[in-house]
Amino acid sequence: EPEVTQTPSHQVTQMGQEVILRCVPISNHLYFYWYRQILGQKVEFLVSFYNNEISEKSEIFDDQFSVERPDGSNFTLKIRSTKLEDSAMYFCASSEDQGYTGELFFGEGSRLTVL
Amino acid sequence: GESVGLHLPTLSVQEGDNSIINCAYSNSASDYFIWYKQESGKGPQFIIDIRSNMDKRQGQRVTVLLNKTVKHLSLQIAATQPGDSAVYFCADQAAGNKLTFGGGTRVLVKP
């Protein structure tokens, strides 16, 4: 069964360092997303991406964050200068379509720990 | 502000019994809701969805009920099994597939 894969599964970094989280969406999907989940809290929307541009972003997704689809298979989330409060599980998701037929498939997440 | 939230943080249920998880939402314009299951160390997994033009939808061992009058939905799991132990989230899917998740309910199935 096709799945969304994410790397790394866990990354530990020092505050102020740049981090890139990588995702390989399901191959025929066109819509891509990043969500995050701070430990013990609910999953929060960060950004959606379609046709090589951001469709929507939340207030969390400030100038420290960026997304990119560098090639035909990867979708990355970059945090330019990490803060302690960026520590969370980051989930990538993809969907084939939008709306009622646009089921999101989530990866298993990348845990980011900022020290 | 808009929110989708849950009533019970933890639900313990005996194996074989039915489980009911509740969720309230505040945005009366919401028209599409999804229940997700999140097992430990994994991402959210789609369980069942319901559109606002429906009151009830059934899947395999799961039923979602939507009461638009009181802005409430519930997930019923029949004959709960150990594999059902997880955190369950309701979510409101808005335009652009943006999901607004509730706070989650942990279901613990006792053998």
Side-chain angles (χ1 to χ4, degrees):
Chain A
E1 183 177 324
E3 59 181 13
V4 176
T5 58
Q6 292 185 240
T7 54
S9 57
H10 188 193
Q11 180 156 358
V12 181
T13 190
Q14 294 291 325
M15 189 170 55
Q17 295 296 304
E18 177 183 283
V19 161
I20 298 176
L21 305 178
R22 292 182 164 79
C23 169
V24 179
I26 294 174
S27 62
N28 64 328
H29 285 186
L30 302 175
Y31 300 84
F32 314 112
Y33 316 85
W34 284 100
Y35 285 78
R36 81 170 186 191
Q37 184 178 32
I38 295 171
L39 185 63
Q41 298 185 22
K42 60 185 178 183
V43 179
E44 302 174 289
F45 170 79
L46 290 179
V47 66
S48 58
F49 190 88
Y50 170 71
N51 198 26
N52 280 322
E53 61 183 26
I54 291 174
S55 307
E56 185 172 357
K57 60 184 180 180
S58 71
E59 59 275 9
I60 303 169
F61 195 89
D62 61 21
D63 292 343
Q64 296 297 317
F65 290 87
S66 63
V67 289
E68 189 180 26
R69 188 155 165 82
D71 52 44
S73 61
N74 290 284
F75 179 53
T76 62
L77 174 69
K78 181 191 291 187
I79 308 175
R80 189 156 53 89
S81 177
T82 50
K83 303 185 288 288
L84 295 176
E85 54 265 38
D86 294 328
S87 295
M89 182 73 90
Y90 289 81
F91 292 105
C92 174
S94 68
S95 66
E96 187 175 2
D97 202 348
Q98 283 194 313
Y100 303 136
T101 57
E103 177 183 339
L104 270 68
F105 291 81
F106 285 84
E108 295 200 342
S110 292
R111 179 169 298 284
L112 176 64
T113 301
V114 182
L115 302 177
Chain B
E2 299 171 5
S3 67
V4 181
L6 292 165
H7 293 304
L8 300 174
T10 304
L11 176 67
S12 292
V13 59
Q14 202 69 36
E15 181 178 356
D17 288 350
N18 297 335
S19 303
I20 299 177
I21 306 164
N22 297 300
C23 178
Y25 63 95
S26 60
N27 183 5
S28 56
S30 298
D31 68 349
Y32 184 42
F33 303 92
I34 305 169
W35 280 99
Y36 283 89
K37 173 185 181 183
Q38 186 178 25
E39 295 176 278
S40 181
K42 296 190 175 182
Q45 179 184 11
F46 176 98
I47 302 173
I48 191 168
D49 59 355
I50 189 166
R51 303 184 195 184
S52 60
N53 61 352
M54 305 171 71
D55 297 322
K56 180 180 179 179
R57 188 150 190 249
Q58 286 186 290
Q60 187 175 17
R61 282 201 307 118
V62 293
T63 301
V64 55
L65 301 177
L66 175 62
N67 185 331
K68 295 180 287 294
T69 303
V70 295
K71 289 185 279 190
H72 179 272
L73 68 159
S74 66
L75 177 70
Q76 300 177 3
I77 305 173
T80 313
Q81 302 170 358
D84 295 327
S85 292
V87 177
Y88 291 80
F89 295 93
C90 62
D92 162 11
Q93 182 166 312
N97 280 16
K98 176 184 174 182
L99 292 167
T100 300
F101 284 86
T105 293
R106 182 174 300 279
V107 172
L108 298 174
V109 181
K110 297 177 289 186

